Structures are given as structure tokens and as C-alpha cells.
Amino acid sequence: MDITKEKVLSNQLRLGMFIADLDRPWLGTPFLLQGFVLEEDEQLQTLKQLCEFVYVDRTKSIGDQFGSKVKVDVAIKRESVPVIIKQAASTKQPNTRVNTAPKVMVKTTNNQKKTLQQSNFFEIMSAIKKGEITQTNDGIIFNVREAKPSASASAPLNGTHSAESTQPDTDSNGSALGFLRNLFGNKKEKLKTPKSNGETDDDPFGITESEMYRIHIYQNEVPRVEQEMAVIYPTYEKTQIATKEIFEAIANKQHLDISTVSEVLDHMVDSISRTPDALMWLAKLKDADNVAYAQALNVSINMMAFSSFLALPKLEIKEMGLAGLLQDLGKVKIPQRILLKNAKLSPTEFEIAKLHIEEGLRILAKTSDIPDSVIEVIAQHHERYDGSGYPNNLDGEQIQIRAQIAGLIDTYCALTTDRSYAKSIHNLKALDEIHQMRDKLFSSELVEQLIQFFGIYPVSSLVELNSGEIGVVIQQNQVRRLLPRVMVVLAPDRTRNEFPVTLDLLNSPKTPDGEVYKIVRAVTADSLGLHAEDFYI
């Protein structure tokens, strides 16, 4: 039973309601998104024609239609008393994991200190991309150029809005957008509690069953992606090093140790629960050499983020992250002439390439602390829904659902990453190709969820605004997915903004002509005669 959803007759629908589900499948309806805020009369009339009733989520509705979660007297098996945590609180909560992340500082070119809240996406992103980061005994220092509003159209003539970093994202006085501050997110989190005498821990990751089901109620806003990038960056660097060491250990026939990876995955899962876009951005910014371990880390991050979107428990999200790192480990044993061939493999070569599954499982069989569920995902991640996969030609429900997720994400990452035999394609085109694979290589339900996860405008997508400017999507809005945060990188005449401003479309910023900013369409870097890297420097 989902107590957040309320059944509402279509003739009782009102603008501002969040339509969470229909009385029929979404496929075949004119709605692009599965779950949206009802804000146009045309949408309302369409729903009345198509549906007898729908399900409304009041916690995601806006204006007068918003409502906090209804308290229901239902006993939940194995769940303990909720722990309410306010992120701004300075005191440590008992029994929570100690935050070992280094202190983060930001310094401008004139050696002035700034807080993370005062730093914008462009500054943090540029520092990471250019390596302008210093590690000291006091913590991590991001050396940034202080962004100044450019003279382009992105700095409006009528003063209706300014760079996002100079004003809050939402009104604090209870305006129409202030409802975001009141949303509570129930997150099932791992808590470290002392073990009683004689209590055993049969979980390889050190999480007891009681710890898995403790509920935290967070009373905070979703952090801006740039703030989360700065906080999680040291962990991401550790994960890169640990993943590289794993691949090198296998290549050198050394013992495989995943203890470091297990620790950093904990922090990555926490980061994804706060702001999944941060780690996905880091994977894009730092994946320059495109070597095997960088590909593995990219797959791992996307698998964890998608698993979080599907509301998998934290333990399973972490296991998916580990599976993503290790699922192609066996390729270390495959000849480079096959892995790097820039043409289609011959039947014999393809049979050799498929052996990476067997080789990987053989390696992991000698490695301690690998959960059986991770082994199962790795063993099946190349199986396909119609039975055309390998190594065992499993089909349909024979394939474990998490292995289906792994195969789907692996395919998406392959399509959107340069390979020796093919150039990467635009993320929207990749989603379109995967959509054509539904009920063939992948189940249609899982494909639809993947499209919902990435959205119409995935992170790093280039979009044209109604002002004629070009922006890059830097952070999605899970409630209003057509209104993401956008960094304006090109003026209407296609000249580059030296210091791009960031617009949160949720706040209805105004163009120089006084109109509310809107996304007109997605565009590709190729169509503009540019390289995607031009926008990430």
C-alpha cells in the first residue's frame, strides 16, 4: 500500500495536483512523463477523456493542492522508531556513521575565502576539470576564478533576475515555491549500532538486518549539485584509485582486495541519496582517458543512481555499485586486439570476448567478501529478455531483476561513451535506441523506468531556451522535470559566455524581454559545430 497516493475521480481533478499514476498504462497515452504536475487545462481535459480516475500524490502537488503525508496507523514489520534529522544541526546524532569527509574550502584568485553556498556551478566545475584543487592538512581547497555576470543576454537588461548564486532558490516567506521546504523524504538508511554479545553479522558489508530498516526522516532541501560535487569529490578520487588498483591487481595476478572500495561506496550511496547528479557529473568531467576502470566507475555510478530512483534499499544500491565496478573485470584476461578492434568482431572473436564473464567469475571466486547477490548480477548482466544474451541464454523472468538493471545501464553507458569501434551518441538518441529494444533485449517496464530516470533533458544535455540562448542542464528537478537548473553557456548570437549564469527554471526567471524562461528543444553539440568538452571547462 502506498499511502502517498490518493485515488481521485477525473472530474474532481484540479490544477496543481501531481498525477502519480493512471487507471491505465502510461504507454499509449499522450503524456511524455510518468508522473507530472497538472498545470495546463489541456492536460486536465485529456485526463478526463482518457481516465475514470487517477492517483494523486499530495506531497508532490503544489499550491493549494499540496499536503503533507497522512499519518496511518499501520504496523511496519521490522522497522524501528524514526529518527528525525535536520541537516543544519551541528550536533552529531547517536548511532550514525561518522562523517570522515575532509573539510572543503573555496578560494578565489585574489585569495578571498568563499563558502560553498556562495560558489556557483561554473566555479566548482572548472576547478575540478582543470585540477585546480589543493589537498592540505586542513582539508580540500578549490581554487576558483570568481565568476562575474557576463555582458551577454544572460544578464538581463530589465533586472528581473541575476546569476543564481546571488539569490536563494526559493522564497523563505511561504510563497508558491516555498512548499519545497516542507517536503519530507523518508529514506531507509543504514545505521551503525553496537552489537550485543553473541550477535553475529552475516552481511559482508557489515550491516545487520536491524540496521537496514532504521528510518531517517530528513527535513532539508535537495543540495545544489555543485555543493555535493565539492563534498563528494575526495571520495570520488579515492574510488578512482581503488578501482584502478583492482584492475591492475588482476592484470598482475595479485590478490584482489575490495575493502577500500566497500568503504567509499558507503559515502557514494549517501551522496546519491542526496543529489544523484553530482557523481554523474564527476564521471563525465573526469572520464577523459576512457580506460577500463573509468568505464567501470561510470557504469557503477549510473547503476547506483538508477537503483536509488527505483527505491531499492541502500544495501542493494551499494551491491549494485560493487557489481558495476566488477562486472567486466574479466576483460583484463581478453586480448587487447579484440577489446580494441575498431571493426565488428568475427564470430570467433566474439566467442572469445564473451569469455570475460567466465574469467571474471573465476577471479571473484577466489576473492573474499563478495556477496552472492553481486556474483549473480555479474553472471547474468549480458543475458537478454528475449533469450539472445549470454552465457546461458536466459530469458524473461529467468533473469534476476537486478541483472536486468545492470545490463540496461551497461548498454546505455556503452552507447554514450566513445568505444574503439563506435563513437558515442547523444544521450537522447541513446534512450531512443534503447526504447526500440523494449520487450526484445529488455523488459518494456524497465525501459520506461530508465527513460523516466534520465528524463527528457538528462544531466549534461544542451538545450535551446526561448531567449535564443543555449544552456546545459546541470541538475534535474524530480518533481518538475521540465524545469531543471540550466547553466547558460551561449548567447543568442552563439558567442560563448565567459562566466555563465545559472538559472533555476523552477523559480520562473525572466528573459531580457520579460518572458518566463522556457526550454524550447534539446540540441546536440554537433549541431552547433562544437564539442561537448567546450561546455565543461
Side-chain angles (χ1 to χ4, degrees), residues 46 117 223 256 272 382 419 435:
T46 301
Q117 288 75 12
L256 189 62
I272 284 171
H382 276 296
R419 295 156 286 169
H435 191 253

Side-chain angles (χ1 to χ4, degrees), residues 58 108 179 238 269 292 333 375 423 425 444 467 528:
R58 295 285 183 178
T108 63
F179 78 96
K238 290 180 182 178
V269 171
K333 301 294 186 179
I375 297 294
K423 293 288 291 181
I425 61 176
S444 60
S467 61
L528 300 172

Side-chain angles (χ1 to χ4, degrees), residues 186-257:
N186 284 358
K187 305 288 185 181
K188 289 188 176 180
E189 277 230 331
K190 178 178 72 175
L191 289 178
K192 295 293 186 184
T193 55
K195 295 188 176 108
S196 60
N197 293 334
E199 182 182 350
T200 59
D201 185 359
D202 55 1
D203 170 48
F205 286 141
I207 306 173
T208 64
E209 184 179 59
S210 62
E211 291 168 350
M212 289 167 54
Y213 293 95
R214 184 75 61 87
I215 297 177
H216 283 185
I217 300 179
Y218 283 92
Q219 296 181 335
N220 64 310
E221 298 175 35
V222 176
R224 291 186 178 183
V225 66
E226 57 269 35
Q227 297 172 18
E228 185 63 31
M229 284 168 65
V231 170
I232 200 62
Y233 178 76
T235 296
Y236 179 83
E237 289 282 272
K238 290 180 182 178
T239 312
Q240 276 193 314
I241 295 171
T243 307
K244 182 178 181 180
E245 289 175 348
I246 286 176
F247 278 78
E248 290 178 345
I250 297 305
N252 298 325
K253 299 181 179 179
Q254 298 173 346
H255 174 70
L256 189 62
D257 181 10

Side-chain angles (χ1 to χ4, degrees), residues 479-514:
V479 176
R480 309 288 293 277
R481 282 172 284 188
L482 297 179
L483 300 175
R485 289 180 67 217
V486 177
M487 182 172 68
V488 181
V489 292
L490 296 181
D493 61 359
R494 299 301 186 261
T495 57
R496 182 170 173 171
N497 294 334
E498 184 179 0
F499 293 100
V501 298
T502 299
L503 306 174
D504 189 338
L505 299 187
L506 182 64
N507 291 346
S508 303
K510 300 292 183 62
T511 70
D513 295 332

